[in-house]
Amino acid sequence: MSCWQTIQDYALRSIGLGERLLPREDFTLCQQVTLIGSGMIWNIYFGVLAIILGFGLATLVAVGKASPNRLLQKPSAWFIYIFRGSPLFIQFFFAYAAFLNLKSVYPVFDAFTAAWLGALIVLFLNTAAYSGEIFYGALRSIPKGEVEAADAYGFSGFTRFRRIIWPTMLRLAWPAYTNEAIFLFHATTLVFFSAFPAWQQRGDALYYANYFADKTFNPFVPYPILAGYFILLTLAVISVFGLANRRLNRHLPQERRARMRFRPNIIR
């Protein structure tokens, strides 16, 4: 089988398109690269949707924690504390057990026991908590002069938040938020170790890398391939978020625009 035929058969296998059976013997490098790349579709799916949904919730949580109203402040603070204070790995298992018990009572929760929805919810809530704390710190760091200037121009309420406070918050939080987005994409590999099952052997990239490592007894081929895919994905995230950062700072003179620097968290 040629490499091109392998790509046609397995490139979309993780989403149910193409060859149904996994190769059993005579594994080629092209098969490993193709199938691990196919699994990356799920990692990208988890990461992109969790970031999009988590961004909105993180903004609400940050505003709630900064609110003087205790009915908004306390739930927001506890939400951040619980999801930042517990390991993501444990959150996966707790969520799966909860959805499984709810499924036995309410059949509508059947979909929540699948990785495509249940694991996504966990990642969404987890990144919303971390991002909410980042946004909260940015809200506390907004110069008072900008808020006073907004009041002097007659801005108030939601208009002041939308046109002054929220853009400034994003400019201050964006470098740290970029790092959180990178960590989130890396954290999608934990779905493989969670209790959420892979349906019909249609797993993520780590699922296929582990499959080839077990079959060939050689982890030094599939796992570097997996690492290479995530390095490329990280570069893509940095590029996209860098464009957004330049958009947020487009009003500043060129020499005053803060260049976004990638500073990975070694210990989290």
Side-chain angles (χ1 to χ4, degrees):
M1 180 183 296
S2 66
C3 186
W4 175 243
Q5 184 62 43
T6 299
I7 294 174
Q8 289 180 315
D9 291 342
Y10 293 112
L12 300 177
R13 185 194 180 281
S14 64
I15 58 175
L17 301 177
E19 182 64 39
R20 295 183 60 184
L21 298 178
L22 288 172
R24 298 293 181 180
E25 57 185 9
D26 299 329
F27 303 105
T28 65
L29 182 62
C30 183
Q31 287 176 339
Q32 298 188 50
V33 172
T34 302
L35 278 167
I36 295 173
S38 175
M40 285 296 296
I41 296 174
W42 282 111
N43 295 93
I44 295 172
Y45 161 81
F46 289 131
V48 170
L49 285 186
I51 287 176
I52 293 174
L53 298 175
F55 178 81
L57 181 58
T59 302
L60 296 177
V61 168
V63 173
K65 187 176 180 180
S67 172
N69 188 340
R70 293 179 64 86
L71 295 177
L72 297 177
Q73 182 186 33
K74 287 301 180 181
S76 300
W78 276 105
F79 172 80
I80 292 175
Y81 179 77
I82 290 173
F83 280 94
R84 291 178 70 231
S86 58
L88 176 59
F89 191 65
I90 303 301
Q91 293 171 21
F92 278 122
F93 277 95
F94 180 81
Y96 181 72
F99 291 145
L100 205 60
N101 290 329
L102 290 171
K103 171 187 173 181
S104 62
V105 181
Y106 305 102
V108 69
F109 282 95
D110 180 56
F112 288 79
T113 59
W116 70 270
L117 182 57
L120 175 62
I121 291 174
V122 176
L123 289 169
F124 150 62
L125 295 176
N126 183 271
T127 191
Y130 277 95
S131 303
E133 185 67 16
I134 293 172
F135 291 165
Y136 170 72
L139 278 175
R140 297 290 299 272
S141 302
I142 294 177
K144 293 183 178 180
E146 294 192 13
V147 180
E148 293 173 353
D151 293 336
Y153 274 95
F155 293 127
S156 62
F158 180 74
T159 302
R160 182 180 64 178
F161 175 80
R162 180 177 62 86
R163 302 192 62 177
I164 305 298
I165 297 177
W166 189 61
T168 304
M169 178 197 76
L170 291 181
R171 281 192 292 272
L172 295 173
W174 205 254
Y177 183 60
T178 302
N179 199 60
E180 165 59 24
I182 294 171
F183 175 82
L184 174 65
F185 277 102
H186 293 171
T188 59
T189 55
L190 289 178
V191 176
F192 170 75
F193 296 105
S194 69
F196 292 97
W199 186 61
Q200 293 184 350
Q201 295 182 322
R202 299 174 187 174
D204 61 355
L206 186 56
Y207 175 89
Y208 290 106
N210 184 72
Y211 173 82
F212 286 115
D214 288 344
K215 293 294 183 180
T216 62
F217 302 100
N218 181 15
F220 298 103
V221 174
Y223 290 129
I225 293 173
L226 175 65
Y229 274 118
F230 272 98
I231 290 173
L232 294 176
L233 181 59
T234 299
L235 291 175
V237 172
I238 293 174
S239 300
V240 172
F241 276 70
L243 292 174
N245 185 63
R246 286 194 289 272
R247 174 71 178 176
L248 290 170
N249 292 281
R250 65 190 184 280
H251 63 288
L252 298 176
Q254 187 67 36
E255 61 275 8
R256 291 184 57 193
R257 295 181 185 178
R259 298 185 63 182
M260 187 175 63
R261 297 180 180 178
F262 171 52
R263 296 187 177 94
N265 287 332
I266 304 301
I267 298 177
R268 182 172 184 180

